[in-house]
Amino acid sequence: MAMTKRRHPIVIERVAPAVDDGRYPVKRVVGEPLVVSADIFKEGHDVLGAAVRFRARGEAGWRVAPLRKRDGDRWAAELALNENTRYTFTLEAWTDRFGSWVREIERRVAGGQTDLRSELLEGRALIEEAAGAVSGVDVERVRHAVGAFDAAPDQEGRLRLILDPGLRTLIARAAPRPDLTRHDREYEVVVDRPRARFAAWYECCPRSQGRVAAQHGTFEDVSGRLADTQAMGYDVLYLPPIHP
């Protein structure tokens, strides 16, 4: 019996950079930014949130950088790779329910709707839901927002509070993500030293570096000519394999 492929509510595809769809690592040098991008979308008109998770070899936890929407369904983030090591990254996305609600309220206000009492209660419920999911300093901030909403004297005051960009950022970070979708592949990045980007190599056979007639050269002779080699414009001295 054929198994049906699990259907994800959010689609993450066309991830870049990738070599052969992630079979091989991409390469960068230390200090060079890595721009990660992907097409991310879902059915309907909900606002989405997305992030790239990455870590260096040996790190137990993931670092997280937000993905920002570019053109169409394309999202991107720029990562700083500051270590000469291997990195792994993947992507995840979720429905930003509070952001979707904010966008709908803004449309209603722009359309001239005046009675927003029921809609504002929906927003309050989303803030309260976030309060039950957060930890640390965000707990007090979210609870304060709920109290300020209840204490606001009128609809205009509640609108100003609930549409504040700072609150939206806070709720986006704190709210539950029941449809969180993680991409099914992890991608590897090899980060080399800056000299790996470009170099002029000088292939040197030590036996031919001698300066005494009828006597082959040694590694000491090679060392004595390093300044001459560098003066010719070479960055790397390449020694052929040593063989009997």
Side-chain angles (χ1 to χ4, degrees), residues 25-139:
V26 298
K27 293 186 177 181
R28 294 293 186 272
V29 298
V30 173
E32 183 180 12
L34 179 75
V35 177
V36 177
S37 62
D39 288 346
I40 303 175
F41 57 91
K42 66 172 289 189
E43 295 177 354
H45 303 285
D46 288 327
V47 174
L48 296 178
V52 54
R53 302 174 70 89
F54 67 105
R55 61 185 173 189
R57 173 178 283 180
E59 286 184 328
W62 292 91
R63 307 180 218 176
V64 181
L67 285 157
R68 305 297 183 191
K69 196 167 186 181
R70 299 286 178 86
D71 297 326
D73 295 322
R74 200 70 182 167
W75 295 65
E78 184 175 298
L79 309 181
L81 306 179
N82 299 318
E83 300 173 54
N84 176 204
T85 184
R86 286 179 178 246
Y87 287 81
T88 302
F89 75 87
T90 189
L91 298 91
E92 61 185 19
W94 60 92
T95 300
D96 181 357
R97 295 165 61 208
F98 188 72
S100 301
W101 176 87
V102 167
R103 186 174 67 177
E104 182 61 26
I105 281 288
E106 289 174 338
R107 286 175 174 173
R108 290 176 182 271
V109 171
Q113 183 174 335
T114 56
D115 186 358
L116 298 168
R117 284 175 294 181
S118 63
E119 288 80 4
L120 286 171
L121 289 176
E122 289 176 12
R124 183 193 184 282
L126 290 171
I127 298 173
E128 200 165 32
E129 182 183 45
V134 294
S135 59
V137 67
D138 283 347
V139 174

Side-chain angles (χ1 to χ4, degrees), residues 97-236:
R97 295 165 61 208
F98 188 72
S100 301
W101 176 87
V102 167
R103 186 174 67 177
E104 182 61 26
I105 281 288
E106 289 174 338
R107 286 175 174 173
R108 290 176 182 271
V109 171
Q113 183 174 335
T114 56
D115 186 358
L116 298 168
R117 284 175 294 181
S118 63
E119 288 80 4
L120 286 171
L121 289 176
E122 289 176 12
R124 183 193 184 282
L126 290 171
I127 298 173
E128 200 165 32
E129 182 183 45
V134 294
S135 59
V137 67
D138 283 347
V139 174
E140 290 304 317
R141 291 175 179 170
V142 177
R143 287 177 179 168
H144 175 76
V146 174
F149 179 92
D150 293 339
D154 52 27
Q155 178 174 285
E156 290 304 315
R158 291 178 175 178
L159 268 177
R160 281 194 300 273
L161 168 76
I162 215 163
L163 295 180
D164 178 72
L167 179 62
R168 178 171 177 177
T169 300
L170 174 62
I171 301 303
R173 181 170 67 244
R177 300 170 180 175
D179 64 348
L180 179 73
T181 300
R182 177 79 62 87
H183 190 49
D184 57 7
R185 176 163 290 180
E186 294 181 356
Y187 299 85
E188 197 169 34
V189 186
V190 175
V191 182
D192 285 316
R193 291 169 293 177
R195 282 199 173 188
R197 189 199 307 269
F198 175 82
W201 287 39
Y202 179 69
E203 184 175 3
C204 171
C205 181
R207 292 175 63 90
S208 66
Q209 301 301 309
R211 299 191 179 187
V212 178
Q215 183 176 324
H216 69 72
T218 64
F219 285 117
E220 223 173 289
D221 294 319
V222 175
S223 297
R225 293 204 59 207
L226 288 179
D228 297 334
T229 305
Q230 189 174 32
M232 289 189 287
Y234 292 101
D235 308 298
V236 178

